[in-house]
Amino acid sequence: MFQRTLFSRSTLLVQQAAATLDSPLAARSAPLLQRVDRSMSSVTIPPPACMLRPLEVPLRYLFGPGPSNVPPRILAAASRPIIGHMHPEMYEIMNDIKRGIQYAFQTENNMTIAMSGSGHAAMECAVFNTVEPGESVLISINGIWGERVAEIAERMGANVHRLVKTPGGYFTNKEIEQAIEKHKPVLFFLAHGESSAGLCHPVDGIGDICRKHNCLFLVDTVASLGAAPIFMDKQNIDILYTGSQKALNAPPGTAPISFNERACRKMFNRKTKPLSYLFDMTHLSNYWGCDGKPAREYHHTGPVSGFFSLRESLAILAEKGLEESWKKHTEVVAYLYKGLEDLGLKLFIAERDLRLPSVTTITVPDGYNWRELLAYIMKHHQIEMTGGLGPSIGMVMRIGLMGYNCEKTNADKALNALADALKNCKKSKS
């Protein structure tokens, strides 16, 4: 009804305008009015009732594996007026983002950008650009992220070899080198922060092994960046990526990634074009001003507000300092560990040094339905915690205190909610 009324008013205005002019113009306006009337009658789908209501979003404590709560300063940055994605001011912001990523990654790599998309976009970008159909790749799998990379590589025609452990298991450097010697991959993948299991995997020495065997080293730090130390250049990591929505505390939708010179030589000397046009680094390197050309050409429209947010989140990290950020996550998660153990809960990763500071996993307590526990916590405390993901489903519950949420007061909220759920949810007698 609203739509018909709006169109009727538009038609009336056209009629009134034509009536005030000479009759020849009015005569010429008649076909236009007929077309307007016909277009009105062709609209058969009414406006959806949900779109006529204001947007409502609940306030919740996001204490899961991400996204995390966004601080007011970053929300304010996202609300800045939109500018053109190819304006000089936008290029300056993108240059700031590049330098912020270089600091966060501890790298001097020129080929450093932020993907327009979530961490999966960076994951696909890394594989699509450095691997060609038929080439051998080796993927370490000890949770869901290795599984995802393996599937991506298989879809684009790579010869995928898997190095597998149960969720939470880690690979020794000897195991990795033996597998690389056997399969002779062009790329080896490792998740530094395997958030589905709560593991922070050791990285030292693996980059050296990959260089020895002429293999690129790809590392996922989506869940670990800003919470656990990583040194891209010192640890000889060839490709590193992360996501905006974890310890960086920006909204989901941007994904920093960096390629060193070894990766660039492989990437820009391909025999075939990358599978994806959107993720083709030949174009993205120009869009981000990394290819040395004097002008940036249009490739795609980047998420302007998302880049505002990412720039602000990287600025906050730079102001705080990486060492202070790592220290804060270590202190708060130690406080959380003690509280969990006091509740009689078992930490899933036994070795303390292998636990991911940003995402803590606890073994599902005996006799409880983990879904009921999490639903109770959400309903009565407005707190999000999650169960496992991929191969860890049914094995763990996950608590994330990262970035803005990394405070002892939030650990107390999480612990009180868990204690309440354990007290009030039914426990089976078995």
Side-chain angles (χ1 to χ4, degrees):
M1 189 61 161
F2 170 78
Q3 198 171 37
R4 292 288 300 174
T5 302
L6 179 61
F7 286 142
S8 298
R9 289 175 180 170
S10 300
T11 304
L12 180 61
L13 288 172
V14 173
Q15 291 172 335
Q16 290 173 341
T20 62
L21 301 171
D22 54 59
S23 56
L25 177 59
R28 289 197 299 272
S29 300
L32 170 62
L33 297 176
Q34 291 173 357
R35 289 198 298 273
V36 170
D37 283 336
R38 284 198 298 272
S39 69
M40 299 308 97
S41 61
S42 68
V43 176
T44 59
I45 307 299
C50 62
M51 292 293 99
L52 303 179
R53 298 194 302 266
L55 174 66
E56 294 183 3
V57 179
L59 176 61
R60 290 189 174 134
Y61 298 101
L62 302 181
F63 296 167
S68 53
N69 292 103
V70 179
R73 178 174 161 183
I74 295 176
L75 290 174
S79 68
R80 294 289 184 92
I82 293 291
I83 59 175
H85 64 289
M86 298 184 74
H87 288 182
E89 296 85 355
M90 193 68 229
Y91 291 155
E92 184 177 349
I93 290 168
M94 293 166 72
N95 292 339
D96 290 348
I97 289 171
K98 175 179 176 178
R99 287 188 283 269
I101 296 170
Q102 288 171 327
Y103 171 69
F105 285 6
Q106 287 296 284
T107 183
E108 295 180 351
N109 292 340
N110 173 60
M111 199 61 62
T112 300
I113 71 170
M115 302 297 298
S116 302
S118 68
H120 278 79
M123 182 187 290
E124 291 203 336
C125 176
V127 177
F128 286 170
N129 282 277
T130 59
V131 180
E132 297 195 65
E135 290 185 325
S136 173
V137 297
L138 178 64
I139 312 297
S140 64
I141 300 175
N142 55 352
I144 193 170
W145 304 120
E147 289 183 348
R148 290 283 170 89
V149 175
E151 181 173 348
I152 288 167
E154 282 181 334
R155 287 185 178 213
M156 55 82 61
N159 183 15
V160 177
H161 304 281
R162 292 167 168 82
L163 190 61
V164 182
K165 298 269 188 177
T166 56
Y170 73 98
F171 306 91
T172 66
N173 286 11
K174 183 178 180 180
E175 289 173 325
I176 292 169
E177 184 163 21
Q178 287 175 342
I180 289 176
E181 288 175 342
K182 178 180 179 181
H183 299 295
K184 298 177 174 56
V186 300
L187 180 81
F188 171 64
F189 168 83
L190 179 78
H192 178 237
E194 179 44 83
S195 58
S196 67
L199 180 82
C200 188
H201 201 289
V203 173
D204 287 344
I206 300 175
D208 298 331
I209 293 169
C210 289
R211 291 198 175 193
K212 176 182 174 182
H213 296 280
N214 195 29
C215 168
L216 295 178
F217 185 26
L218 168 62
V219 177
D220 178 319
T221 64
V222 172
S224 58
L225 188 80
I230 194 80
F231 303 91
M232 185 173 187
D233 290 354
K234 288 181 181 179
Q235 293 173 315
N236 286 331
I237 298 168
D238 298 299
I239 312 159
L240 187 72
Y241 67 85
T242 193
S244 59
Q245 75 276 17
K246 309 279 186 172
L248 287 180
N249 285 142
T254 56
I257 187 169
S258 183
F259 301 81
N260 69 7
E261 287 298 323
R262 292 181 75 239
C264 287
R265 283 196 297 272
K266 176 73 167 69
M267 184 163 60
F268 295 129
N269 289 283
R270 300 172 58 95
K271 298 175 183 177
T272 60
K273 290 183 178 181
L275 185 65
S276 169
Y277 179 86
L278 179 61
F279 297 157
D280 188 338
M281 282 299 297
T282 303
H283 301 298
L284 289 173
S285 62
N286 174 262
Y287 179 48
W288 279 85
C290 299
D291 64 353
K293 293 182 180 179
R296 304 191 195 191
E297 298 179 358
Y298 171 74
H299 173 246
H300 74 284
T301 303
V304 173
S305 296
F307 287 156
F308 291 171
S309 300
L310 179 60
R311 193 254 182 222
E312 200 69 8
S313 72
L314 291 166
I316 291 173
L317 181 61
E319 291 166 9
K320 176 181 289 187
L322 278 169
E323 290 96 342
E324 182 60 31
S325 182
W326 298 334
K327 179 182 176 183
K328 181 70 174 290
H329 283 83
T330 300
E331 290 176 350
V332 172
V333 81
Y335 181 83
L336 178 66
Y337 294 159
K338 184 179 185 306
L340 292 169
E341 290 168 342
D342 288 345
L343 289 175
L345 296 169
K346 181 182 178 182
L347 292 159
F348 183 68
I349 304 296
E351 293 187 47
R352 193 183 187 97
D353 290 344
L354 295 177
R355 294 173 188 162
L356 183 60
S358 52
V359 181
T360 298
T361 46
I362 56 175
T363 302
V364 175
D366 290 339
Y368 286 97
N369 182 315
W370 61 271
R371 288 188 174 88
E372 289 182 4
L373 290 170
L374 296 175
Y376 181 93
I377 290 169
M378 176 66 81
K379 180 179 179 180
H380 295 279
H381 297 271
Q382 292 297 300
I383 290 176
E384 178 198 48
M385 299 179 196
T386 67
L389 190 64
S392 69
I393 290 176
M395 300 173 67
V396 300
M397 292 167 55
R398 298 184 291 163
I399 308 165
L401 297 175
M402 58 191 92
Y404 182 59
N405 286 345
C406 185
E407 298 289 346
K408 289 182 179 179
T409 53
N410 287 333
D412 286 334
K413 288 186 178 75
L415 292 167
N416 290 335
L418 279 166
D420 186 31
L422 292 169
K423 179 180 178 180
N424 288 286
C425 290
K426 292 181 180 180
K427 183 177 180 182
S428 63
K429 295 180 181 179
S430 53

